[in-house]
Amino acid sequence: MEHVPPPAEELALLDRELAQLDARRAQLLTRRAWLVAALRPTAPDAPRWSTPPLGHGWAPAQPWGAVPKAAKPSTPRSAQNVLLTLGGLLLTVAAVAFTLVSWGSMGIGGRAAVLALVTAAALAAPALLLRRKLAATAEALAALALVLTLLDAYAIHAVATPDADGLTFTAIAAAVLAALWTAYGLALGTLHLPLPAGAFFVQWPLLLGAGAAGAPTLVVGWALVATAVLDGAIVLWGKGLGVRVTAGIGLAVTGSAALLTGLGESLTADGPLDAVLPGLLLLTAAAAALAGAWRAPGGYARLGGAVAGLAGVAAAGGVLRAAVPGAWHVPVYLLCGLALLSVVRARVPRAAGRGVLLASGAVVAGALVWALPGVAAVLLGPVQLVAGVWAGAPDGFRGALGEAMAWPEQAAAPLALAVVAGGLGAAYRWWPTLVRLAAPLAAPGVKARDAAGAGALALGWGAVLLAAATLGVPYPVAVALETVLVAGLLTVAVLGAGRGAGMAGAGSGAAGAGVPGSGSGAGPGGAAGGSEPYAGTAGAGAGPGGATGRRGPSAVAVTALVLAVGGAVSLGLLSLAAEGATYAVLGALVVLFAGAALRTRPVAERAVLAVAAVVWGTALTGCVAGSLGLAPHEAAPLLLVVPSVTVLLGARLRNHPVALPVELAGGLGALAAIGLAVPRAPFLALVLALCGVLAAGAAVRPERRPVAGYLAAVLFVTATWVRLAASEVSDPEAYTLPVTVPALVIGVLRRRKDPEASSWTAYGPGLAATLLPSLAVAWGDPDWQRPLLLGVAALVITLLGAKYRVQAPLLLGGAVLALVTLHELAPYVVQVAGALPRWLPPALAGMLLLAVGATYEQRLRDARRLKDVLGRMR
């Protein structure tokens, strides 16, 4: 049984417990106040408690022990910096004002004494301040001392040596200031300003001294090289980040200026002997850059290696360039750039060696950019033959390309392309050896080998084309050569994409110029007939460095396919000069691309080849029409031969992935036929009808029916309209009723098959096809027959929609009926409105609004009821 004390005893117990709680609370508050007072001055950034204890008296959202923002004092360090900055600025302004304004009022002794006293005091003060731990004040006075030393130099030149040469005095002053501030910074090692100031002054003595002595450009270049070397030493061994950054900026500026100076002198040298001295300057810069890269870390070492490689190429190439004709200058530099690849066998740091390899790649890329305009001229030059189709074979290959290029100046471009293609081909062929040689500097992978093979193929192809243009071969030889090249490229594409295990050798030796594995016989690890296994393809095995089991065409096969398509386009344009050449080339292209499409296996490549064959077939059909002397509109039906063949092929291929691209390519031919027939409406109607027949033939197949069926209907309707327009039929119903009647029949059949189908889908298009054009014409028709017939038809359609509870006929018919009625009653309404007083229409409108407002709830229920009725209709 639980004991319950009397109320008086229980009240006394509660009072004692409350008194104990109050005493404990007072004790805790006192302790808290002491802790806050003890923590605030010593640790202002001490961590705060996220949840303050109860009873502390602070705001609920305020952190424990936090000081309000308005009460926070400014940081002593920031205030000190502001004061020191302002003081330094004021002293600097005073010193400048004294030197420029008050200097002339003092004697020479007074001037010297003031300058010496102020400068010595400014230089000595930082040492004393550093002993007292006042580093910021010492920095400010050091900055003042720097300005004073500059003013001292200016004052000495203006008073003591006014006749001295300005550049000479400035060079000497820069050297003295550099030595002074370097020694000062080393003596007071904790200051941040003196050593960067010394590094800045170091940039000027040699350069200004060479300029003051009137030295030739090469001497200025040597001065720049020496300054850059000194900057590099400071960057590598300098003390402090500011010193290294200042020297690094100076190194970039002076080094770039030195290299540009040496390169300019090398390029303007009149002979090999004149290019030797600039070459020595560039070689010295290269040696200095390589020495810096030897000790520099990471990316800086790679940059130094690249600079060293480029400078070496400029030095050696400049001497050799002066000994050869102008057309061969770029190949000389190219050979020097390729010579840099020997760095893989040199004992250089990895990062520096990679920089040299980057320099070699940059030189090779520059040579290729120099040669590419010639290749582009060969490929795009035949475009001019479109303006004079079958005008006769030109005089040589150059005659077909035009005179936009100076071909004698491109004599060495094929050699540059061939050299690079040969190098890439050798790398592709002997890839394991290349990987072993490059192991100290790089580890190229399978993708790099594929890229090398693709580059060899593309550059070899371009070299052959450009060589034919520069040699000026006869026109028939050029056509035959390009045809053979296209055939070789297609062979490479088919073998590479189909087998995924080899790269075919070009039978002519032209398409495979620089391509590994070209020729006859079996290469190492390859198949007989000149194929060579290569990486990145599937097959029973993989070539050296390849990846076994990777499926899909390699980069070589894809490149061959792209080049084959581009070369075929250029070849087709080139053949337009002569009729016989056009038929021979287009026929060969059709056979080559169709055969390649049948032989290759990957779907994407087969689709590209098949589409190309269809395009060439369409072009061949157009040439037949031209030979028959047909006008463009008369040739339009003939162009539909190829689309017909593609429809038959699509029916044969059915769901094959290539079927759709082939049919779309045929559709482009049909579109071209429609474009040719546009000027003559009867021919246009005929072509549209024939295209509708082709689309209907394609719609027989279930997989094409959703698109081809609608397309056939549109083409037939359009053909009918064009035929009616050609017969000068102006009534729109003659165009629209042939669409409306079949569309309504199809809609009725669909609703019988699917009663849940929407009436807008079944009847909407058919009704709108006639009602809307007729309504548009009826509003501008002054006669009464069309509005009457349209109104009756709309009334019948509305009643049928209401009877069978069909939404689309009800709404379309009702809307057209209302608009026709409004059109017919509009003149009478205007007459009545003109006879009424002016105040009556606003009054009627107001009464109408009042009536609607008074019965708003009822009208709203009626609108909802009508909406429900219409919503239940289909």
Side-chain angles (χ1 to χ4, degrees):
M1 183 175 181
E2 185 177 359
H3 173 70
V4 178
E9 184 179 351
E10 184 177 3
L11 180 60
L13 179 63
L14 291 177
D15 288 338
R16 286 195 299 271
E17 290 181 356
L18 288 175
Q20 292 176 358
L21 289 175
D22 289 339
R24 181 61 177 165
R25 181 174 182 275
Q27 181 184 3
L28 292 176
L29 289 176
T30 303
R31 180 64 178 172
R32 175 192 174 279
W34 182 88
L35 290 173
V36 171
L39 290 175
R40 185 176 300 162
T42 57
D45 296 327
R48 313 298 187 190
W49 294 326
S50 59
T51 305
L54 296 176
H56 57 75
W58 291 63
Q62 189 173 0
W64 171 260
V67 180
K69 291 185 179 180
K72 282 188 178 180
S74 60
T75 306
R77 181 71 64 181
S78 61
Q80 179 188 21
N81 291 336
V82 171
L83 293 176
L84 291 174
T85 302
L86 292 177
L89 288 176
L90 291 176
L91 288 175
T92 303
V93 171
V96 172
F98 168 76
T99 303
L100 298 179
V101 178
S102 301
W103 182 262
S105 63
M106 299 179 64
I108 186 65
R111 301 172 187 174
V114 170
L115 278 175
L117 179 62
V118 174
T119 305
L123 290 173
L128 300 176
L129 292 173
L130 288 176
R131 293 179 182 177
R132 296 179 176 273
K133 309 296 184 183
L134 299 176
T137 308
E139 290 285 355
L141 288 179
L144 175 62
L146 175 61
V147 176
L148 287 175
T149 54
L150 294 174
L151 293 176
D152 289 343
Y154 165 75
I156 291 173
H157 177 60
V159 176
T161 59
D163 298 329
D165 180 66
L167 284 178
T168 304
F169 182 85
T170 306
I172 297 172
V176 173
L177 290 174
L180 170 65
W181 283 101
T182 301
Y184 188 72
L186 293 176
L188 302 177
T190 56
L191 292 180
H192 297 88
L193 180 62
L195 288 179
F200 173 77
F201 289 126
V202 162
Q203 313 300 320
W204 306 105
L206 293 178
L207 179 60
L208 295 179
T217 306
L218 273 179
V219 176
V220 176
W222 282 107
L224 289 169
V225 168
T227 306
V229 170
L230 183 57
D231 286 331
I234 297 174
V235 169
L236 291 176
W237 295 292
K239 181 181 179 182
L241 179 61
V243 178
R244 293 195 295 271
V245 170
T246 304
I249 296 173
L251 173 62
V253 175
T254 56
S256 301
L259 291 174
L260 292 177
T261 301
L263 181 61
E265 291 295 309
S266 177
L267 292 177
T268 56
D270 296 330
L273 294 178
D274 293 335
V276 171
L277 292 179
L280 289 176
L281 174 63
L282 291 170
L283 283 178
T284 303
L290 188 59
W294 208 286
R295 300 177 180 274
Y300 296 104
R302 191 177 297 112
L303 178 60
V307 171
L310 293 175
V313 169
V319 176
L320 298 176
R321 179 203 66 85
V324 298
W328 297 89
H329 289 173
V330 174
V332 165
Y333 285 104
L334 174 62
L335 294 177
C336 295
L338 293 176
L340 293 178
L341 296 176
S342 60
V343 73
V344 297
R345 305 306 299 166
R347 300 194 174 199
V348 296
R350 187 181 183 91
R354 286 184 174 181
V356 176
L357 292 179
L358 288 176
S360 176
V363 174
V364 172
L368 295 180
V369 170
W370 169 75
L372 284 181
V375 179
V378 174
L379 293 176
L380 302 179
V383 174
Q384 63 172 346
L385 298 176
V386 176
V389 177
W390 297 346
D395 297 332
F397 193 15
R398 293 183 185 177
L401 301 179
E403 300 299 331
M405 290 292 296
W407 295 109
E409 298 179 2
Q410 296 287 324
L415 177 61
L417 294 175
V419 167
V420 180
L424 292 175
Y428 182 84
R429 174 62 180 83
W430 291 285
W431 187 255
T433 304
L434 175 65
V435 172
R436 186 171 60 255
L437 292 175
L441 297 182
V446 173
K447 292 184 178 180
R449 188 189 188 205
D450 286 345
L457 181 64
L459 295 177
W461 172 71
V464 174
L465 289 178
L466 193 53
T470 54
L471 294 175
V473 299
Y475 175 75
V477 175
V479 172
L481 177 63
E482 290 205 29
T483 305
V484 172
L485 286 175
V486 172
L489 290 170
L490 288 176
T491 303
V492 174
V494 169
L495 293 180
R499 291 187 314 201
M503 182 176 185
S508 64
V515 178
S518 62
S520 61
S531 62
E532 170 66 17
Y534 57 92
T537 54
T548 304
R550 240 177 61 189
R551 297 191 178 274
S554 68
V556 176
V558 174
T559 303
L561 180 60
V562 173
L563 296 178
V565 174
V569 173
S570 178
L571 175 60
L573 295 173
L574 183 64
S575 68
L576 295 178
E579 184 175 2
T582 302
Y583 280 107
V585 167
L586 292 180
L589 291 178
V590 171
V591 173
L592 288 174
F593 279 87
L598 294 176
R599 293 294 302 275
T600 190
R601 287 189 230 171
V603 175
E605 285 72 10
R606 179 177 289 187
V608 171
L609 293 169
V611 168
V614 172
V615 172
W616 306 136
T618 304
L620 185 60
T621 307
C623 292
V624 172
S627 298
L628 296 176
L630 300 177
H633 62 276
E634 296 173 338
L638 186 61
L639 287 182
L640 296 179
V641 172
V642 175
S644 304
V645 175
T646 58
V647 170
L648 296 177
L649 284 176
R652 173 71 176 173
L653 297 174
R654 300 191 66 81
N655 292 324
H656 195 281
V658 179
L660 181 60
V662 169
E663 291 179 84
L664 291 177
L668 292 178
L671 190 62
I674 293 173
L676 292 176
V678 166
R680 296 295 182 91
F683 277 93
L684 179 59
L686 174 62
V687 171
L688 289 172
L690 293 176
C691 291
V693 172
L694 296 178
V700 174
R701 296 152 51 197
E703 66 273 10
R704 298 286 183 264
R705 190 170 301 154
V707 176
Y710 288 108
L711 180 60
V714 171
L715 289 172
F716 281 131
V717 170
T718 308
T720 304
W721 290 356
V722 171
R723 181 66 263 182
L724 292 173
S727 302
E728 298 182 354
V729 176
S730 58
D731 294 330
E733 291 78 12
Y735 301 85
T736 57
L737 285 176
V739 179
T740 296
V741 174
L744 292 178
V745 172
I746 294 174
V748 171
L749 295 177
R750 179 173 181 180
R751 290 272 292 182
R752 287 183 179 178
K753 185 177 180 180
D754 183 15
E756 297 299 322
S758 173
S759 62
W760 289 101
T761 304
Y763 307 130
L767 293 175
T770 294
L771 292 178
L772 298 182
S774 298
L775 177 64
V777 176
W779 269 67
D781 193 348
D783 297 328
W784 57 272
Q785 292 88 352
R786 177 175 279 106
L788 177 61
L789 295 176
L790 180 60
V792 171
L795 178 61
V796 172
I797 292 171
T798 304
L799 295 176
L800 290 175
K803 178 180 179 181
Y804 294 102
R805 303 179 64 81
V806 184
Q807 192 179 103
L810 176 63
L811 295 181
L812 276 176
V816 172
L817 180 61
L819 291 174
V820 171
T821 304
L822 177 62
H823 174 264
E824 295 302 312
L825 295 179
Y828 306 102
V829 173
V830 170
Q831 292 179 2
V832 172
L836 293 175
R838 294 299 179 90
W839 55 268
L840 187 58
L844 294 176
M847 294 175 61
L848 177 62
L849 292 176
L850 288 175
V852 171
T855 59
Y856 175 75
E857 294 296 334
Q858 180 62 36
R859 302 286 78 77
L860 189 59
R861 286 193 294 271
D862 294 342
R864 289 173 179 171
R865 191 179 298 109
L866 178 60
K867 177 183 177 182
D868 294 338
V869 171
L870 292 176
R872 287 192 294 270
M873 296 182 180
R874 300 297 299 175

